[in-house]
RNA sequence: GCGGACGUGGCGGAACGGUAGACGCUGGAGACUUAAAAUCUUCUGCCCGACAGGGCGUGCGGGUUCGAAUCCCGCCGUCCGCACCA
């Protein structure tokens, strides 16, 4: 028996053994209860780093644990393979995006395999594979037929140099992130998905997701942004260009008598009409558009308005006329694009009214007596009683809201309504490396779906990236097609789908992937929902919301009877690492730095470097730790063990040399414990108890994803086993421990399992059961407090009566000394825990 | 501005309202060794003390309680999300 565990040869051997046995292949028709464990699939950016590995290791522990518990486990892996980095690589080094992507996939797959993950590789998929995106096109057509897909003209960020549309994140200080060119706002016809049709469902559904972090549910709730209020119509005293009035939305209809102006968005049709004929209005509208939309700019931007000279008629008093402004702070795409201003009770309106010297009227106060109290400094948006509001006077805010809405509805000038922050999902991207949108534009027939028999619409291979813009647009023949309706010449849609579409249904395709349709209903329903989904919190809103929408849309279409795709969600923390910079500001990789007596120096040059902050791993800061390098040096188990042990999983983990070394030491220690298990004779009651307490604790900790705590318990057990004299108990403890560590450190566990002479794979061994009789201690330590302060501890039999404990406490020498012979005024006894003597 | 989370030794972190600091890392001392590595033993919150023991301690200030890291109120700080949403 070797004295050291050698991962270099053992890891690959066991990986091959699992592979050959098909251990992790999920069986669709299994009778066992199912467990679908999924980690967010990676973008194949190049290589696997330890941040990826942390994510997959957590999922892997659960998957392996569930398998040992007797579940049929689906734990698949694939590639979110479309996206911009591939096109950027194509531009930078003249390599085809597909070639670059597939080569990255091959590398990363190899890296993942070396980490020994229990994936069902037979279900691997890549979104850039026509076998996948062709089915996505079919689903897109399904949604189109169900009326959930539409086209509309929409503003985009247009980079005039790269001739491409930029996402908001790609616009930095108003300039394109690559070209540095000033970004223009352009109107383009774009494809949209009607996610707003599901706003209510998506909001309500959050309530049932009790295995999601509250934080994520709250973020989604805010993102959906439901507001209830009144939409009503202002008539104009005199119509302009056919506009006789306009609609506004408010959540505070109760303050209707506090209004002193109305304001239109610069994009409002009336504002645009005025700009056509009035130079000053046109200038103001143009000025509003110029302003940036970044957070910082908005914060500092002054409220500005342009008095149109128009007058709006108050709906409850035909004599009451309000000035109508065009105002820079009114958004066209929220509500109706127009507001009624109540300066007394809305901060923005307050600022605006102050600047333009409009009346600031109080209509809500703490009591009737406050009616004449002026509003000063800032608006009062709180609750209270209506004042100066005619028939509303004396009502509470809630009652007044209802009364105004009721009146508006009965008089026909408005209605109670709900407004959402959530917008429809624009899925058009003017890029090559994405799923082609399966439509054809015909001058005669309009926009026509590609016939299903012609799917998939595949991307052309012969494209070049030496000229900016969308290669699909430039391609000599790809977009030339015949109209499926009239047979005439037509043009293929050259937009591709947002990559979030690709990731909105991949978990369904993992569950079922027939060749001739997106998925099989029954097969998919067997696995879904995903029981535990694990990924970064950066996807808390978009990806998770889109996937929820997609699932509900499929349900509405009758394609899948599942409400929510992810029953359990866990958002894990990042892996961070130290950073170094040279004197001239270059980032220096930590493994190129040596720490000498005079501080850190760069090994290659001997020059001093400055230690930077501990940051999220990124290529630019050169602090990425590649998984292969770690596996080469320490083996997969040590890497996995460290990624699980050092921090709670939801928090960031700092990668450190000391940490991985500690994990390596423990893997070796484990090997020694297992292989040097001097079995011996007889029971060791104390060890038995420790073992079963550990089984119970590790089980609950894994179920709760508290891997760091599970590991702490395993360390304790390891010490106990090492210290215990030979006994039958000790042999059992060592064997059981091998099973307990198997989900986390599967290779050394298999090696030990086999060394112990156990048949089969530990990956398929049953999870140990804790004997509840052994979970309780026979003796407990009782804390003895005087006035809540710990003064002594004593040992008592478990379940000792209160009186006995009190007597024992009073007999304590220390207690006697402190009490100085006086009797305590009060005695609190918590059985098996403590005695508190109140003097 | 709105919403949320968090704040515990040198570090990562444990702790159903009941012995704060489990477990790991770092560091000290020792054993084994010709030596080193590996391994093992042991100590490691701060202060006073030779020991026994005592005092102080969970960001700060209050409160509830026999008892608070934990619950409540108010500050301070850090991080995250949203952001002119009517």
């Amino acid at each position: 028996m070797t004295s050291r565990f050698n991962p270099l040869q053992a890891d690959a051997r066991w990986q091959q053994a699992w592979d050959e046995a098909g251990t992790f292949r999920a069986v669709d028709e299994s009778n066992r209860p199912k467990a679908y464990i999924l980690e967010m699939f990676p973008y194949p950016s190049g290589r696997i780093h330890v941040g990826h590995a942390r994510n997959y290791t957590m999922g892997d522990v659960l998957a392996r644990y569930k398998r040992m518990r007797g579940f049929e486990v689906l734990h698949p892996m694939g590639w979110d393979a479309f996206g911009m980095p591939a096109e950027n690589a194509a531009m930078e080094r003249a390599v085809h995006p597909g070639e670059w992507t597939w080569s990255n996939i091959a590398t990363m797959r190899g890296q993942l395999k070396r980490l020994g993950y229990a994936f069902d590789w037979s279900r691997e998929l890549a979104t850039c594979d026509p076998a996948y995106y062709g089915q996505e096109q079919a689903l897109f057509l399904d949604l189109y037929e169900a009326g959930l897909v539409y086209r509309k003209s929409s503003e985009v960020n247009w980079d005039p140099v790269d001739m491409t549309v930029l996402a908001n994140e790609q616009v930095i200080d108003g300039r394109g992130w690559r070209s540095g060119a000033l970004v223009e706002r352009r109107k383009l016809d774009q494809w949209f998905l009607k996610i707003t049709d599901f706003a209510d469902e998506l909001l309500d559904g959050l309530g049932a997701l009790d295995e999601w972090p509250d934080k994520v549910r709250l973020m989604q709730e805010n993102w959906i942004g439901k507001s209830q209020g009144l939409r009503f119509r202002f008539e104009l005293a005199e119509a302009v260009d056919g506009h006789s009035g306009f609609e506004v939305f408010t959540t505070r209809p109760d303050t209707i008598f506090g209004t002193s102006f109305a304001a239109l968005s610069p994009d409002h049709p009336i504002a645009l009409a005025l700009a056509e004929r009035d130079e000053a209005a046109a200038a103001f509208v143009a000025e509003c558009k110029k302003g940036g939309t970044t957070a910082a700019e908005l914060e500092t931007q002054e409220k500005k308005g342009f008095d149109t000279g128009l007058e709006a008629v108050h709906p409850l008093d035909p004599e009451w006329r309000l000035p109508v402004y065009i105002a820079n702070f009114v958004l066209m795409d929220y509500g109706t694009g127009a507001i009624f201003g109540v300066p007394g009770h809305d901060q923005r309106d307050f600022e605006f009214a102050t600047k333009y010297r409009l009346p600031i009227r109080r209509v809500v106060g703490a009591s009737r007596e406050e009616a004449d109290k002026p509003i000063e400094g800032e608006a009062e948006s709180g609750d209270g009683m209506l004042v100066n509001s005619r028939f509303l006077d004396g009502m509470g805010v809630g009652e007044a809201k209802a009364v105004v809405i009721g009146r508006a509805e009965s008089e026909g000038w408005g209605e109670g309504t709900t407004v959402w922050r959530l917008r429809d999902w624009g899925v058009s991207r003017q890029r090559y490396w994405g799923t082609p949108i399966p439509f054809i534009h015909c001058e005669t027939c309009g926009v026509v779906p590609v016939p299903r028999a012609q799917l998939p619409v595949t991307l052309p291979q012969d494209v070049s990236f030496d000229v900016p813009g969308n290669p699909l647009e430039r391609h000599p023949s790809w977009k030339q097609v015949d109209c499926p309706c009239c047979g005439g010449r037509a043009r293929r849609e050259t937009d591709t789908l947002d990559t979030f579409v690709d990731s909105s249904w991949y978990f369904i395709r993992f569950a079922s992937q027939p060749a001739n349709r997106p998925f099989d209903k029954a097969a998919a329903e067997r696995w879904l929902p995903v029981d535990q989904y694990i990924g970064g919190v950066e996807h808390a809103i978009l990806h998770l919301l889109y996937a929820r929408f997609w699932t509900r849309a499929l349900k509405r279409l009758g394609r899948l009877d599942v409400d929510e795709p992810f029953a359990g969600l866990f958002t894990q923390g990042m892996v961070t690492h130290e950073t170094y910079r040279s004197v001239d500001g270059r980032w220096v990789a930590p493994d190129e730095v040596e720490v000498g007596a005079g501080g850190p120096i760069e090994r290659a040059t001997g020059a001093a470097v400055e230690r930077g902050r501990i940051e999220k791993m990124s290529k630019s800061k050169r602090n990425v730790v590649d998984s292969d390098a770690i596996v080469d040096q320490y083996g997969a188990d040590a890497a996995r063990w460290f990624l699980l042990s050092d921090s709670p999983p939801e928090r960031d983990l700092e990668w450190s040399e000391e940490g991985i070394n500690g994990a390596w030491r423990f893997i070796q220690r484990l090997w020694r414990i297992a292989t040097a298990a001097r079995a011996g004779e007889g029971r060791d009651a104390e060890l038995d108890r420790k073992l079963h307490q550990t089984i119970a604790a590790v089980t609950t900790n894994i179920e709760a994803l508290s891997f760091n705590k599970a590991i702490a318990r395993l360390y304790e057990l390891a010490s106990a086993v090492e210290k215990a004299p030979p006994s039958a108990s000790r042999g059992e403890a060592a064997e059981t421990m091998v099973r307990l560590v198997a989900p986390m450190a599967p290779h050394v566990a298999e090696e030990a399992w086999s060394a112990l002479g156990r048949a089969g794979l530990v990956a398929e061994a049953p999870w140990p059961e804790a004997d509840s009789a052994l979970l309780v201690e026979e003796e407990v330590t009782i804390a003895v407090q005087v006035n809540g302060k710990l003064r002594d501890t004593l040992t008592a039999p478990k379940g000792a009566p209160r009186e006995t404990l009190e007597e024992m406490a009073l007999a304590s020498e220390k207690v006697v000394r402190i009490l100085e012979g006086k009797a305590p005024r009060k005695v609190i006894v918590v059985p098996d825990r403590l005695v508190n003597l109140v003097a």
Side-chain angles (χ1 to χ4, degrees), chain A residues 6 37 39 192 348 527 552 563 586 613 670 739 783:
Chain A
N6 179 5
I37 310 294
E39 299 95 58
F192 284 84
R348 283 171 323 220
W527 290 110
R552 281 173 186 274
D563 289 315
R586 266 181 313 115
R613 300 205 319 175
L670 198 62
R739 284 188 281 158

Side-chain angles (χ1 to χ4, degrees), chain A residues 134-343:
Chain A
Q135 301 302 341
E136 184 167 306
Q137 290 167 338
L139 288 176
F140 192 76
L141 293 180
D142 291 342
L143 296 189
Y144 175 76
E145 283 161 16
L148 295 173
V149 173
Y150 68 98
R151 273 165 74 74
K152 93 175 171 196
S153 173
S154 168
E155 273 198 352
V156 295
N157 303 305
W158 179 260
D159 184 323
V161 171
D162 278 356
M163 292 185 18
T164 186
V165 170
L166 299 177
N168 282 331
E169 310 81 69
Q170 295 166 331
V171 181
I172 297 156
D173 294 334
R175 292 172 182 275
W177 66 300
R178 285 181 70 85
S179 69
L182 273 176
V183 168
E184 299 168 5
R185 298 191 71 76
R186 271 207 190 180
K187 285 227 162 186
L188 285 183
D189 275 342
Q190 308 243 72
W191 291 93
F192 284 84
L193 289 176
K194 272 196 190 164
I195 190 170
T196 53
D197 260 28
F198 294 78
D200 248 323
E201 280 188 47
L202 289 169
L203 185 65
D204 289 347
L206 290 172
L209 294 174
D210 50 7
E211 287 174 64
W212 278 39
D214 290 342
K215 176 189 169 144
V216 174
R217 289 198 285 180
L218 192 66
M219 281 164 73
Q220 293 221 346
E221 191 183 318
N222 291 338
W223 186 264
I224 294 168
K226 182 178 187 173
S227 298
Q228 282 168 310
L230 170 70
R231 191 168 61 205
F232 70 91
R233 188 173 165 84
F234 270 124
E235 297 300 335
L236 284 169
E238 285 173 50
V240 264
D241 296 332
H243 296 280
S244 62
F246 57 92
E247 289 206 312
V248 298
F249 172 75
T250 177
T251 54
R252 292 295 302 274
D254 54 305
T255 63
I256 196 157
F257 291 110
T259 183
S260 49
F261 67 97
L264 305 168
S265 162
D267 295 310
H268 194 279
I270 295 178
L272 296 176
L274 290 170
E276 288 279 314
R277 46 139 90 176
D278 179 347
E279 254 178 56
F284 181 79
V285 168
E287 196 191 326
C288 291
K289 294 214 174 189
K290 212 169 55 190
T293 53
T294 64
E297 280 174 281
L298 288 176
E299 200 162 349
T300 53
Q301 210 165 60
E302 207 183 341
K303 307 276 176 284
K304 276 189 257 181
F306 173 82
D307 188 349
T308 61
L310 300 174
E311 285 186 322
V313 181
H314 195 287
L316 288 167
D317 183 350
E319 304 303 311
W320 189 346
R321 301 294 161 89
L322 297 164
V324 178
Y325 285 80
I326 301 169
N328 65 343
F329 64 92
V330 182
L331 305 173
M332 191 57 218
D333 53 3
Y334 183 79
T336 60
I339 61 158
F340 83 121
V342 184

